[in-house]
Amino acid sequence: MELDNLRQAPFNTTALGVLRGVASYYGLSVSDAFLFGATGHAFLINIHEELCPSGPYCWNRKPFEALAAHVGIDVVDHGFFWTDGGPVPRGEVEAKLTECLRQRVPCSLINMENQLITGFDDTGLLTAQPWPNADFPPRHLTFGSWTELGGEIHINFYTFHRGAHALEPRLAAAAGLEYAVDLYQHPENHSGSPYAVGAQAYAAWIRAVRAGHGAGHGNWWNGTVWAECRGMASRFLHELASDFPGTAAAARPLAAAFAEISERLTEASHRDLADDAKVSALEAAAAREATTIAGLEALAKTLRAA
């Protein structure tokens, strides 16, 4: 069986590709940019000290899950399982997931990428591939063995229920902005060594480029994902300016700032760009982002007071 009309959006930020698919499945009237902004993911940046491409996946998801409830999606985490963590209860997890799917509740996993689980057949779970022109990651997970994952398992499973306590949009937006400020002011709450978020993430990225990691896959992928997020931040802020006219004077300059940051991160992601130029682009992005935090905080207060 397979859930009708459940499709993963082809974002590079696959956590939001999954959430977009769920929102559309449940018929939620919310834009892509609003999903990125209200969950705060538009403002996240998480960097490994050696620019490992795992940066977009290894951060504290609990605040993100709580913020998703504000837009009408209740996220249930069914646990993390890894190769050296003892026996993996495959049958138990599979039973939970297949029961949810029978009840027409979307599921997902994250191993190499975030993937919607769209259904199951006699042999295993049916998993979405994020990008239509890429045969990756696997489109199937065999019951009992998960053989498609190879010799190393580091996997989480989630289910997504239609929430009953969504906030009105201005309050959901305010909460996303407050999370953005907390990412910057209290990075220790959102990631830990060898990763860093906020201003510390930019510093770690610059150190990694100077240490010789700037030409690898990790630099390109981190730049690609976080540039997409900052571009969505810009779109989100433009939407706030349009939807809540009292915010326009504050939101539009912030939108311009995040568009500029997105451009600088895209520039830094280029494989053939010299390291010194990468560092210059990252320094410019970091400096520009530092100027936005007070404005984001003020904008959140304005939305709450409206």
Side-chain angles (χ1 to χ4, degrees), residues 176-213:
L177 294 170
E178 288 159 356
Y179 172 73
V181 173
D182 201 64
L183 284 168
Y184 209 84
Q185 294 181 343
H186 301 286
E188 68 280 1
N189 294 338
H190 304 287
S191 193
S193 180
Y195 299 91
V197 302
Q200 294 179 1
Y202 284 108
W205 195 341
I206 290 166
R207 286 195 301 270
V209 170
R210 286 175 169 158
H213 302 292

Side-chain angles (χ1 to χ4, degrees), residues 144-164:
S145 67
W146 303 350
T147 185
E148 293 86 353
L149 304 183
E152 185 177 353
I153 296 171
H154 39 83
I155 192 167
N156 266 85
F157 293 98
Y158 299 90
T159 52
F160 303 88
H161 301 260
R162 177 68 182 266

Side-chain angles (χ1 to χ4, degrees), residues 29-249:
S29 299
V30 59
S31 71
D32 295 345
F34 195 86
L35 274 179
F36 271 81
T39 62
H41 204 82
F43 305 96
L44 177 67
I45 180 170
N46 185 52
I47 296 294
H48 184 274
E49 63 185 6
E50 293 184 348
L51 274 178
C52 175
S54 59
Y57 314 99
C58 298
W59 41 275
N60 177 12
R61 290 171 172 258
K62 295 304 180 186
F64 171 78
E65 293 163 15
L67 291 166
H70 294 169
V71 298
I73 299 170
D74 291 343
V75 183
V76 178
D77 184 347
H78 291 280
F80 177 63
F81 309 99
W82 72 104
T83 306
D84 298 326
V88 176
R90 289 181 175 86
E92 179 183 334
V93 175
E94 291 165 0
K96 289 179 181 177
L97 296 172
T98 54
E99 179 58 27
C100 283
L101 290 164
R102 287 189 183 97
Q103 295 176 13
R104 320 307 292 182
V105 173
C107 307
S108 80
L109 64 83
I110 175 174
N111 190 65
M112 290 174 282
E113 284 293 346
N114 294 275
Q115 295 176 266
L116 279 170
I117 300 172
T118 59
F120 62 93
D121 60 18
D122 291 340
T123 64
L125 298 169
L126 307 177
T127 53
Q129 293 180 305
W131 305 289
N133 298 319
D135 189 21
F136 171 86
R139 64 176 67 233
H140 181 270
L141 197 62
T142 301
F143 287 141
S145 67
W146 303 350
T147 185
E148 293 86 353
L149 304 183
E152 185 177 353
I153 296 171
H154 39 83
I155 192 167
N156 266 85
F157 293 98
Y158 299 90
T159 52
F160 303 88
H161 301 260
R162 177 68 182 266
H165 304 289
L167 298 180
E168 60 177 287
R170 69 176 178 85
L171 296 179
L177 294 170
E178 288 159 356
Y179 172 73
V181 173
D182 201 64
L183 284 168
Y184 209 84
Q185 294 181 343
H186 301 286
E188 68 280 1
N189 294 338
H190 304 287
S191 193
S193 180
Y195 299 91
V197 302
Q200 294 179 1
Y202 284 108
W205 195 341
I206 290 166
R207 286 195 301 270
V209 170
R210 286 175 169 158
H213 302 292
H217 174 72
N219 182 83
W220 168 75
W221 187 238
N222 277 281
T224 298
V225 170
W226 303 128
E228 179 179 68
C229 288
R230 293 307 185 272
M232 286 292 186
S234 179
R235 288 173 53 184
F236 171 63
L237 290 158
H238 275 301
E239 287 183 9
L240 294 183
S242 297
D243 294 343
F244 306 100
T247 70

